[in-house]
Amino acid sequence: MILLLHDLPELWYSWRHQIVSLSSMGYRALAPDLRGFGDSDTPDTVASYTCFNIVGDVVELINLVAPDERKVFVVGHDWGAYMAWYLRMFRPGKVKVVVNLSVSFIRLGREINPIDAWRAIYGNDHYVSRFQEVGEMVKRFELIFLYFLLTFDMIHCECVVFVNVYA
């Protein structure tokens, strides 16, 4: 089985073309929505979203979907790459190979807070830094959406499609 772990703020859907291609070659491919994304569970507390929780979810998913496979191939993209590395570090018996896209592995000592390291390297505007305060990015997304609604010119937009839905 090949496990595909998505980026932030993406979903399993990001891997749809790879799933089709891999399955056409005879592989089993699985791309779950990780905790807090899409149709997955969304616990209320921030503490429920640690890498330990997410790796635990992935391990349970592997046990459920591929109980007879000793180890799986794992492919991660960006934020999903970190979860793939953590899966390999925390549960090496579950992972045959890790292939990650777009980011390189950074080994941090236990005394270094990863968020502080990201801020030191990339600054406070890096997306990892910006998603640390509960509700901050939700407010920003709401403002972006409001701006879109206020500035959208439906009369001159050629891409608008009206669909009638009947109950």
Side-chain angles (χ1 to χ4, degrees), residues 7 22 26 28 40 44 49 53-54 68 79 97-98 102 109 114 133 143 148 153 161 164 167:
D7 181 19
L22 291 166
R28 290 179 60 200
S40 71
D44 292 331
Y49 292 90
N53 297 107
I54 294 166
D68 298 330
W79 185 79
V97 173
V98 171
S102 78
E133 295 299 322
L143 288 173
F148 171 77
D153 184 356
V161 177
N164 290 322

Side-chain angles (χ1 to χ4, degrees), residues 84-118:
W85 283 313
Y86 290 141
L87 175 62
R88 177 67 178 95
M89 287 189 291
F90 302 155
R91 298 298 297 270
K94 293 286 182 190
V95 179
K96 189 174 210 170
V97 173
V98 171
V99 176
N100 283 328
L101 310 169
S102 78
V103 293
S104 58
F105 178 73
I106 298 173
R107 179 177 219 108
L108 298 173
R110 289 184 177 162
E111 68 282 349
I112 298 173
N113 179 318
I115 304 306
D116 293 338
W118 284 115

Side-chain angles (χ1 to χ4, degrees), residues 48-158:
S48 298
Y49 292 90
T50 69
C51 59
F52 300 109
N53 297 107
I54 294 166
V55 167
D57 293 344
V58 172
V59 167
E60 286 302 312
L61 184 63
I62 293 168
N63 290 342
L64 182 69
V65 174
D68 298 330
E69 294 192 40
R70 198 166 101 67
K71 294 185 176 188
V72 298
F73 287 84
V74 183
V75 180
H77 175 235
D78 197 54
W79 185 79
Y82 291 101
M83 296 307 110
W85 283 313
Y86 290 141
L87 175 62
R88 177 67 178 95
M89 287 189 291
F90 302 155
R91 298 298 297 270
K94 293 286 182 190
V95 179
K96 189 174 210 170
V97 173
V98 171
V99 176
N100 283 328
L101 310 169
S102 78
V103 293
S104 58
F105 178 73
I106 298 173
R107 179 177 219 108
L108 298 173
R110 289 184 177 162
E111 68 282 349
I112 298 173
N113 179 318
I115 304 306
D116 293 338
W118 284 115
R119 284 193 176 118
I121 295 167
Y122 298 109
N124 287 327
D125 283 337
H126 187 260
Y127 76 95
V128 171
S129 300
R130 295 182 78 181
F131 275 86
Q132 297 308 306
E133 295 299 322
V134 175
E136 177 187 339
M137 291 310 295
V138 171
K139 290 177 194 169
R140 293 197 184 266
F141 288 137
E142 288 171 349
L143 288 173
I144 292 167
F145 184 67
L146 180 61
Y147 176 79
F148 171 77
L149 289 177
L150 293 174
T151 60
F152 185 71
D153 184 356
M154 194 178 318
I155 295 171
H156 295 99
C157 181
E158 297 176 9

